[in-house]
Amino acid sequence: MSAFLIEVNGQKYSVDVDEDTPLLWVLRDHLSLLGTKYGCGIAQCGACTIHLDGNATRSCILPISQVQDKKVTTIEGLSKNGDHPVQKAWKEMDVPQCGYCQAGQIMTASAFLKQNSKPSDEEIEDAMHGNICRCGTYSRIKKAVKIASNNS
Amino acid sequence: MDDNKTKTSRRDFLKSSVLTGGALCLGVSFFGSCKADVVPEVDFASMDFKDFNAYIKVAKDGFVTIFAPNPEIGQGVKTSIPMIIAEELEVAWDKVYVQQAGLNTESFTRQVAGGSDSIRQGWVAFREAGAKAKHLLMTAAANRWDVSMDQLSVKEGVVSNQNGESLNYGELVEDAALIEAPEKVELKNPKNFSIIGTDKFNVDLNGIVQGKPLFGIDYKEEGMQYAAILRAPGFGYKLVGLDDAEAKKVSGVIDVLKLENKIAVIASNTWAAFKGKDKLKVEWKPDGNLESSDFHSKTLRDLNDGKKLETLRKDGDIVQAFQEADQLIERSYEAPFLPHNCLEPMNFFADVTDAGARMVGPIQTPEWTQSRIAELLKIDKEKVTIEMTRMGGGFGRRLYGGFALEAAEISKITRTPVLLVYTREDDMTQGTYRPASRYKIAASVKNGEITGYHLKEAAINRNMYGAIAHFFPAGSIENLQVDVAKYESNITTGAWRAPYTNFLAYAEQSFFDELAEILGKDPVDLRIELLEKAIKNAEEDEDIIYSPKRMIECIKLVAEKANWGKSSNNVFQGLSAYFSHRTHVAEIAEVEILDDGPKVSKVYVAVDCGIVVNPLGAKNQIEGGVIDGVGHAMFGEFAFEDGVPSAKNFNQYQLIRMKDAPEVEVYFVKSTVDPTGLGEPSLPPAGGAIANALYKATGKRLYKQPFSNDLYKG
């Protein structure tokens, strides 16, 4: 166990954990930031997606030791009141069914739109392909990303 | 059956919705953060609500809390059930705050998420709860003004008299709470619905997009511990040796418990529990059958061809029909086991003390689970409380609360609150799988007509049940027989979204597509011709609960919307129509040939589920069901080798992703009939629709799921 200094959603934390502890579990169990979800633990489903220095990153395989000196943004830090353009688009499309994957979807989409603000349908599909939605809300997700791209 | 009514059983209704003036604290949400989802600017927590009946509380300023009684797995009942109650209560939807009810078997019935039955079975009870509360509030107003009820009108929670005076519900609630509830109340004419039939957003939408801790896995409280469980690597193994020394060295690991054929690691956080589990050194020994998929295939084939069959339906004489036939057609269809793969892995919180068991978590069957936990702990059922969280998917997996029992068992030993969490690998390898099955279908043709139909089912552990044997084509073919046989396996199986029909529908609807081709008929025409023949029989036969007329309407609607038979070059269409969970659905899939092979690009759907409570949510269900059906028919593959599952995580199991998901276009048949299920019925027809479209596109008939093996690998 050692102390790691990390910055999450603009706030600095010191956490005392094993160096191989994935960021996902630091967020969930130590910082009580529960919006970032556990789905597979092997970076296959995207439920744990966060932004690391602005890039969509799978937190379930990211050891805490690699997070120091980097800025982490979670779904809780994306906006104060759920009014980020991507969140607003998600609401407009009434995207979720069970809702479990959606924070990860939103984090992937918001990082993607920062890099490509006017994507084609195909580019949206490529960007979102790593995120599983078991309920199958894919067409709503695609439309929401499109709406967000038009509004941002 | 009567086409204007949906068959409903009286005993399923609400036991009673008792008026209580006193404090009846129900389903208080355990997270302050999930509050105020519908009307974020209102601070509901500080408002003084009066309990009205188990479903409804009214505050002095007229805001209303409606308790959603049924478990929410993503099927939308936390939104649609309160809509039904609000409709009859006559309140404005934006003054309604929805809360999940707790398990309360006195006030609610059937607090289950299963069978696509929440709305159908609760329809009258939910309406009566709202209407009774409205009646009491109106009575209070009548008393206040000393006029008769018929001189009053009500709109959006405001009661008005003929003198132009008005009172809102909040001003009447204290008086109303003292009046005895009527036995019977008049329900609204569906023509006057103003909430039902309008698009309403998911009530948890705001919380979901902000990552609020709504799910079972998010549950936290002071002093709780985390647990993970190591189980046998496959079915048919027993634990013979354990060395937990390394596991106990993992920082954060508190204890290792040896349970019946499994080992629990208790830790101060989830990761430590998972890591400790990986460090256990365990020896397993075969104990029972070690089954493999080749064995299952052969066993199911033998059952299909064998003589030990149970007959579930028999019309006419298929033996004679087959003897007299001009032509006999026989085909077989095979499906693998499937895991549910809810994205939120199984988990449950338990706090077992001398006072009882306090349980929190995602469960489709809270009442059954309560009984099982009481039995396990040898305590009274009343001492087991269950709080239902939102669920990260159900699909049938969370009907079986073994994970809740495990949590209770651990907490009973540790005497500490605990959250048990399955790893993804635990979740996929310790399933209650969709059983592998095989259908053999034979039909006889004479003088260009289908004269006989023989369906044989072979399945693992359990056969089709209920009314399934009497679904289409029952009633449409004179000589018809449905026979089933099963093999008892030690692999655990259970309900998987649209049990049995999730595969049976594909087999039959593929078979009819082939029959149409053999008979030289258009697939739409053949279905309609057969359904027309079934109309009279369906009226006379009590076992037949589908409506041929309603199905014909769906087929006509989908054919019109999809421009059946007139698709452009390189677009190939396939039809499938199936009734399940009391809802009629017809689908037309479109396949395009792309550079890397055929792709299901679009699915048109026509649905008759009676009244559509929340069209926005209903469409989402239909879209998701179709994509689920397409995904599993195309890619779902799950085999066993010596009892050990072939896939443990999403790198070995292909779930459908965005690029493979078709566009889905949904149409509802306009109806005033009582509503029926929507969580499952769009799934069963999808497999047949795409199989038939893929045949048109590739010339290849598909007899085995997943289709991707034949399409892309063979």
Side-chain angles (χ1 to χ4, degrees), chain B residues 281-295:
Chain B
K281 293 200 182 94
V282 188
E283 203 186 326
W284 304 96
K285 210 177 88 182
D287 177 34
N289 293 344
L290 302 182
E291 295 177 5
S292 299
S293 291
D294 289 347
F295 165 77

Side-chain angles (χ1 to χ4, degrees), chain B residues 18-40:
Chain B
V18 188
L19 178 77
T20 55
L24 179 67
C25 197
L26 286 173
V28 175
S29 172
F30 57 91
F31 284 114
S33 53
C34 19
K35 293 208 162 123
D37 240 334
V38 177
V39 195

Side-chain angles (χ1 to χ4, degrees), chain B residues 358-525:
Chain B
R358 188 167 54 87
M359 312 292 301
V360 183
I363 184 76
Q364 291 179 247
T365 51
E367 190 172 352
W368 181 35
T369 303
Q370 180 190 43
S371 301
R372 291 173 72 197
I373 288 171
E375 204 174 301
L376 173 81
L377 301 175
K378 299 186 177 64
I379 59 176
D380 289 343
K381 210 173 78 173
E382 291 67 34
K383 289 190 170 172
V384 180
T385 61
I386 296 189
E387 255 181 59
M388 294 176 272
T389 62
R390 191 176 182 84
M391 282 174 255
F395 311 104
R397 178 63 185 90
R398 288 187 160 103
L399 293 167
Y400 310 99
F403 42 88
L405 273 72
E406 288 172 339
E409 188 181 0
I410 291 167
S411 180
K412 188 192 174 188
I413 297 167
T414 61
R415 290 277 142 176
T416 307
V418 69
L419 178 68
L420 168 68
V421 181
Y422 280 31
T423 62
R424 172 56 55 195
E425 289 80 3
D426 298 335
D427 193 280
M428 209 179 283
T429 58
Q430 307 292 327
T432 49
Y433 306 103
R434 189 275 296 271
S437 55
R438 189 176 190 274
Y439 288 102
K440 186 168 167 179
I441 313 177
S444 56
V445 171
K446 191 175 168 69
N447 302 327
E449 302 280 327
I450 303 168
T451 53
Y453 185 86
H454 192 187
L455 171 68
K456 290 190 207 172
E457 177 187 83
I460 305 289
N461 290 339
R462 193 182 173 194
N463 287 114
M464 64 165 89
Y465 52 85
I468 297 173
H470 312 285
F471 288 178
F472 180 83
S476 72
I477 300 169
E478 207 179 329
N479 305 291
L480 179 143
Q481 193 163 320
V482 179
D483 293 331
V484 299
K486 67 185 174 191
Y487 166 77
E488 301 274 353
S489 168
N490 58 4
I491 294 169
T492 48
T493 57
W496 191 103
R497 194 177 195 176
Y500 299 90
T501 62
N502 61 43
F503 182 66
L504 172 60
Y506 140 73
E508 291 192 314
Q509 291 295 311
S510 277
F511 188 73
F512 277 101
D513 202 67
E514 235 178 300
L515 284 182
E517 190 179 35
I518 289 163
L519 294 168
K521 288 181 179 173
D522 179 276
V524 166
D525 295 344

Side-chain angles (χ1 to χ4, degrees), chain A residues 35-53:
Chain A
T36 308
K37 299 300 190 217
Y38 168 64
C40 68
I42 58 166
Q44 290 288 313
C45 77
C48 67
T49 306
I50 50 102
H51 297 172
L52 190 67
D53 285 342

Side-chain angles (χ1 to χ4, degrees), chain B residues 245-266:
Chain B
E246 290 301 311
K248 282 181 168 170
K249 284 183 198 158
V250 173
S251 60
V253 168
I254 296 164
D255 204 357
V256 174
L257 308 174
K258 201 171 159 210
L259 309 174
E260 177 77 38
N261 215 36
K262 52 192 162 191
I263 306 124
V265 177
I266 317 299

Side-chain angles (χ1 to χ4, degrees), chain B residues 560-591:
Chain B
E560 177 206 321
K561 296 296 180 186
N563 225 351
W564 172 256
K566 299 181 199 94
S567 58
S568 54
N569 280 346
N570 199 33
V571 175
F572 303 90
Q573 294 184 320
L575 168 78
S576 173
Y578 206 74
F579 163 92
S580 67
H581 306 273
R582 312 266 173 159
T583 291
H584 301 76
V585 182
E587 297 178 8
I588 289 174
E590 290 188 342
V591 166

